[in-house]
């Protein structure tokens, strides 16, 4: 009996110890898991005073962030402005209140975002500008190479022309002769140019135009003509104002059988079907094998000079004047060669080196010369042509 009493006391003692054993949740006799909102609850289901202490100021306050996104804080507002809990909030109000590892993590994340933004900006810059600049630089390099080849070809002529004066370079920089007004005017005119014009067009190469008559070469040696003119008889006249003198310009007349080559430097006056006056070198060009047939003629022009071009189709003569001064007959026995494929006739035409500029007056404005007795402006010879006629036998130019 005594042995049974001892066993019963020992069993009661163990049972009591189990009842007083602490639980994982901190709640007496609650041995199961608890939801997150119940973490830190002590006896009786109340939170311990030290629950938030390890987590205090380790996370930014969401209400504070939202308030500051919606409204700018007033001047001299406290750091906690915008937080409904105020200064006693357990969450951080800005980077300055973050503590421990949270502060370090925030700085790392901020630096990482800044680096990403800088990398994206660099990639956008490279993609948006460098490719275009590379294309432009390549284009400029090709253009300069072609111009160098053009200059090398014409340098042979320049050496012959300048024997008396030792040497004259192909491209003479005359900027010292430019007035500020002329430079500003040319800059203004260039802005108005386009690749289309109702009464002028490019025979060979590329050029840009204005309806007022300005022309700029966009290729090595562009050849340009006046549309709607095809004269076989009569006396005709037009004028060209020189707007730049950094390169060669050849001004004159051509017929429908003219063939040119911009890359090779063959323009008006360089074949059997065109004639020109070159005031850059003081030469006249016509009759085919251009460089061998070049002869001294007229005067060298400067910026602002006006070249008058006279064609007497009845007598087969071509003459020029410079600023109203008669330069005499440049070509005689100029005769048209007939074609079975299309009608032929003379039309105003001229060639320009790259970037050279002129202004053409076909008679729409008063002429500057008084030596025009018996000559009519070429605008009177203009006629409405069908699309087929407007090609001017373009097969011959291609």
């Amino acid at each position: 009996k005594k042995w049974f009493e001892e066993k019963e006391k020992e069993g009661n003692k163990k049972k009591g110890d189990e009842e007083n054993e602490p639980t994982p949740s901190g709640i007496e006799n609650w041995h199961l898991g608890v939801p997150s909102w119940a973490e830190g609850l002590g006896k009786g289901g109340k939170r311990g005073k030290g629950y938030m202490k390890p987590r205090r100021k380790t996370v930014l306050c969401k209400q504070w962030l939202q308030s500051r996104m919606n409204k700018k804080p007033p001047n001299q507002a406290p750091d906690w402005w915008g937080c409904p809990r105020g200064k006693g909030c357990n969450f951080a109000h800005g980077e300055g209140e973050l503590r421990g590892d949270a502060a370090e993590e925030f700085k790392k994340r901020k630096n990482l975002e800044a680096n990403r933004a800088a990398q994206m900006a660099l990639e956008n810059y490279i993609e948006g500008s460098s490719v275009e600049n590379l294309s432009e630089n390549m284009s400029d390099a090709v253009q300069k190479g072609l111009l160098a080849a053009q200059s090398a070809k014409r340098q042979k002529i320049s050496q012959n022309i300048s024997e008396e004066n030792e040497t004259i370079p192909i491209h003479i920089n005359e900027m010292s002769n430019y007035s500020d007004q002329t430079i500003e005017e040319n800059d203004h005119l260039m802005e108005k140019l386009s690749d289309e014009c109702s009464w002028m067009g490019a025979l060979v190469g590329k050029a840009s135009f204005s309806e007022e008559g300005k022309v700029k070469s966009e290729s090595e040696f562009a050849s340009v003509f006046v549309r709607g003119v095809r004269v076989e008889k009569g006396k005709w006249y037009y004028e060209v104002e020189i707007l730049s003198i950094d390169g060669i310009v050849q001004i004159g007349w051509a017929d429908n059988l003219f063939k040119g080559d911009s890359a090779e430097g063959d323009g008006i006056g360089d074949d059997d079907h065109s004639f020109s006056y070159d005031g850059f070198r003081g030469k006249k060009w016509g009759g085919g094998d251009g460089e061998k047939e070049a002869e001294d003629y007229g005067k060298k022009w400067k910026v602002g000079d006006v070249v008058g071009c006279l064609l007497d189709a009845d007598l087969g003569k071509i003459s020029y004047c410079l600023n109203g001064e008669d330069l005499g007959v440049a070509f005689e026995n100029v005769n048209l060669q007939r074609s079975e494929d299309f009608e032929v006739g003379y039309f105003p035409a001229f060639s320009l080196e790259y970037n050279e500029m002129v202004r053409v007056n076909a008679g729409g404005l008063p002429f500057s010369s008084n030596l025009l007795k018996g000559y009519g402006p070429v605008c009177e010879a203009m006629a409405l042509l069908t699309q087929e006629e407007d090609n001017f036998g373009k097969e011959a130019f291609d």
Side-chain angles (χ1 to χ4, degrees):
K1 183 177 179 181
K2 188 175 181 179
W3 181 82
F4 282 110
E5 288 177 356
E6 291 296 329
K7 284 289 184 180
E8 186 176 357
K9 288 180 180 180
E10 186 177 347
N12 290 337
K13 185 177 179 181
K14 289 183 178 180
K15 184 177 180 180
D17 291 341
E18 292 176 359
E19 290 176 352
N20 295 329
E21 184 180 353
T23 63
S25 65
I27 303 175
E28 188 176 358
N29 296 324
W30 187 271
H31 295 271
L32 301 178
V34 295
S36 60
W37 53 263
E39 289 180 0
L41 292 177
K43 291 184 178 181
K46 296 182 179 180
R47 290 187 184 274
K49 292 183 178 180
Y51 164 69
M52 278 296 296
K53 188 172 182 180
R55 301 177 60 185
R56 183 176 173 83
K57 305 298 184 183
T58 60
V59 179
L60 288 176
C61 179
K62 294 183 179 180
Q63 289 85 350
W64 175 82
L65 286 172
Q66 188 65 38
S67 297
R68 295 205 168 214
M69 288 177 61
N70 296 335
K71 187 176 180 181
K72 184 179 180 181
N75 294 333
Q76 298 181 349
D79 293 340
W80 50 264
W81 183 92
C83 176
R85 289 176 292 274
K87 188 176 181 180
C89 179
N90 287 319
F91 299 99
H93 301 134
E95 179 182 357
E97 290 190 3
L98 285 172
R99 296 179 180 178
D101 294 340
E104 294 298 324
E105 184 66 24
F106 183 86
K107 290 180 181 179
K108 289 180 181 179
R109 186 166 62 251
K110 189 175 180 180
N111 291 336
L112 181 60
E113 292 175 355
N115 292 336
R116 286 177 179 174
Q119 183 65 26
M120 289 183 64
L122 179 60
E123 291 175 358
N124 291 336
Y125 173 79
I126 294 174
E127 181 180 358
S129 63
S130 294
V131 174
E132 295 177 0
N133 292 339
L134 177 61
S135 177
E136 292 175 359
N137 292 338
M138 288 290 289
S139 177
D140 291 343
V142 172
Q143 185 66 66
K144 289 179 181 178
L146 291 172
L147 289 176
Q150 173 71 16
S151 297
K153 176 183 177 181
R154 295 183 178 272
Q155 184 66 33
K156 297 178 181 179
I157 311 171
S158 176
Q159 292 173 355
N160 295 331
I161 296 171
S162 59
E163 287 180 352
E164 297 179 359
N165 298 321
E166 293 186 357
T167 181
I168 299 176
I170 287 295
H171 295 285
I172 302 175
N173 189 351
E174 296 287 351
M175 290 301 292
S176 59
N177 296 330
Y178 283 25
S179 67
D180 293 339
Q181 180 179 0
T182 303
I183 295 173
E184 292 174 1
E185 179 185 5
N186 284 341
D187 288 343
H188 174 66
L189 298 178
M190 290 172 66
E191 294 177 1
K192 297 174 61 177
L193 299 178
S194 66
D195 57 359
E196 294 183 357
C197 180
S198 63
W199 58 281
M200 286 189 292
L203 289 171
V204 177
K206 295 182 180 180
S208 52
F209 312 86
S210 76
E211 291 297 331
E212 293 80 13
K214 295 109 185 176
V215 182
K216 177 187 175 185
S217 174
E218 304 288 354
S219 58
E220 293 74 43
F221 203 49
S223 295
V224 176
F225 74 112
V226 175
R227 300 180 186 275
V229 178
R230 187 170 56 237
V231 296
E232 301 179 59
K233 57 184 179 180
K235 297 180 178 181
W236 304 100
Y237 178 84
Y238 76 101
E239 289 182 343
V240 177
E241 180 182 357
I242 305 300
L243 298 181
S244 64
I245 54 171
D246 290 328
I248 295 169
V249 178
Q250 296 176 189
I251 303 172
W253 303 84
D255 65 35
N256 305 69
L257 298 177
F258 162 76
K259 291 185 178 181
D261 189 322
S262 175
E264 292 295 327
D266 293 334
I268 302 303
D270 294 329
D271 77 337
D272 291 329
H273 301 279
S274 59
F275 306 87
S276 67
Y277 162 41
D278 171 8
F280 182 79
R281 296 170 291 183
K283 292 286 182 178
K284 63 179 182 179
W285 303 82
D289 196 1
E291 296 180 3
K292 296 181 180 179
E293 299 295 329
E295 298 179 12
D296 293 338
Y297 177 80
K299 298 180 178 181
K300 294 183 179 180
W301 53 46
K302 59 183 182 297
V303 171
D305 283 353
V306 177
V307 181
C309 307
L310 302 90
L311 168 66
D312 186 339
D314 296 330
L315 297 179
K317 293 183 179 181
I318 294 176
S319 306
Y320 295 90
C321 59
L322 185 64
N323 298 325
E325 178 184 351
D326 187 5
L327 299 180
V329 176
F331 302 99
E332 295 182 293
N333 301 319
V334 176
N335 298 312
L336 285 171
Q337 295 184 16
R338 303 296 174 178
S339 172
E340 297 180 357
D341 299 327
F342 46 80
E343 297 182 15
V344 294
Y346 291 112
F347 48 84
F350 50 92
S351 299
L352 315 88
E353 281 194 318
Y354 179 70
N355 262 344
E356 290 305 297
M357 291 185 65
V358 298
R359 175 163 43 211
V360 181
N361 180 10
L365 297 174
F367 290 128
S368 62
S369 176
N370 296 321
L371 305 175
L372 306 178
K373 185 176 181 180
Y375 285 83
V378 293
C379 65
E380 294 182 359
M382 291 181 181
L384 295 175
L385 302 177
T386 62
Q387 183 64 38
E388 180 180 355
E389 291 172 330
D390 192 36
N391 287 332
F392 276 100
K394 195 171 175 83
E395 300 85 358
F397 302 137
D398 292 339

